[in-house]
Amino acid sequence: MAVFERVKTPCVGICSTGIGDQVCRGCKRFAHEVIHWNGYTQEQKRLIARRLEGFLVQVVSNKLQIVDRGQLLASMRHQQIGFREEQDPYCWVFDLLKAGASQIQDLSVYGLAYQRQWQGVPLAQIKAEIDQDFYVLSSAHYDRYFSMVPEDDA
């Protein structure tokens, strides 16, 4: 049997479920997942983390491309940017943008490139678009699979 690391909370300290959102604008978990997180098994937490990671990878990779994973990793470490190495590298890209999108002048220093349709768009705007798309994707998933479920069954 494989030994798995404990799943860390995806919370980013910007919770909107307390004001009635069914999908948190910060971490993109569903309200019932935020509320019950500490009661979930590691496997349940892992499933949520995989869903969130998959959504984030999808939206980041639609805007930016990793050209050199090793260079990205080295740059993240050199710049001391907080990230989870066990995650897909496209999640690292979002961590990089959150740490300083407005300060990055040359994506190639990080082993990155723009997807063609995003060339010339400021990285701060791309970061905001990624966050919005991530939220929309999570919300659509919630609406499709959970919005009709009675709260006691969620």
Side-chain angles (χ1 to χ4, degrees):
M1 179 183 213
V3 177
F4 296 103
E5 287 189 31
R6 294 182 59 77
V7 178
K8 296 176 184 170
T9 178
C11 181
V12 296
I14 307 170
C15 192
S16 66
T17 61
I19 59 170
D21 287 344
Q22 289 304 309
V23 177
C24 177
R25 293 185 182 274
C27 70
K28 315 308 186 265
R29 284 180 294 168
F30 308 143
H32 66 271
E33 294 170 340
V34 172
I35 293 166
H36 299 295
W37 183 260
N38 291 329
Y40 287 159
T41 66
Q42 289 301 304
E43 184 54 30
Q44 288 170 313
K45 291 176 181 181
R46 200 169 284 107
L47 289 170
I48 294 165
R50 281 189 207 127
R51 181 191 75 233
L52 295 173
E53 183 174 341
F55 289 168
L56 186 56
V57 167
Q58 181 179 344
V59 298
V60 172
S61 65
N62 282 334
K63 294 166 181 53
L64 300 171
Q65 174 185 356
I66 297 173
V67 178
D68 186 334
R69 181 189 182 280
Q71 187 176 359
L72 173 61
L73 179 59
S75 296
M76 297 288 287
R77 288 178 175 160
H78 178 75
Q79 296 290 328
Q80 299 179 350
I81 295 168
F83 70 104
R84 295 180 179 168
E85 196 165 339
E86 71 276 6
Q87 287 186 315
D88 187 285
Y90 279 98
C91 295
W92 308 349
V93 173
F94 190 54
D95 292 330
L96 172 67
L97 295 177
K98 289 190 299 186
S102 62
Q103 299 170 13
I104 298 171
Q105 302 299 316
D106 183 2
L107 278 180
S108 67
V109 170
Y110 294 90
L112 301 172
Y114 292 95
Q115 293 291 8
R116 185 176 52 231
Q117 65 273 28
W118 291 93
Q119 289 177 349
V121 177
L123 283 176
Q125 182 179 340
I126 290 176
K127 178 190 72 140
E129 294 281 343
I130 288 169
D131 191 58
Q132 179 62 27
D133 289 353
F134 187 15
Y135 177 75
V136 167
L137 197 53
S138 290
S139 294
H141 187 83
Y142 178 84
D143 290 345
R144 174 70 172 97
Y145 295 105
F146 293 97
S147 65
M148 301 307 269
V149 176
E151 187 144 333
D152 292 343
D153 294 339

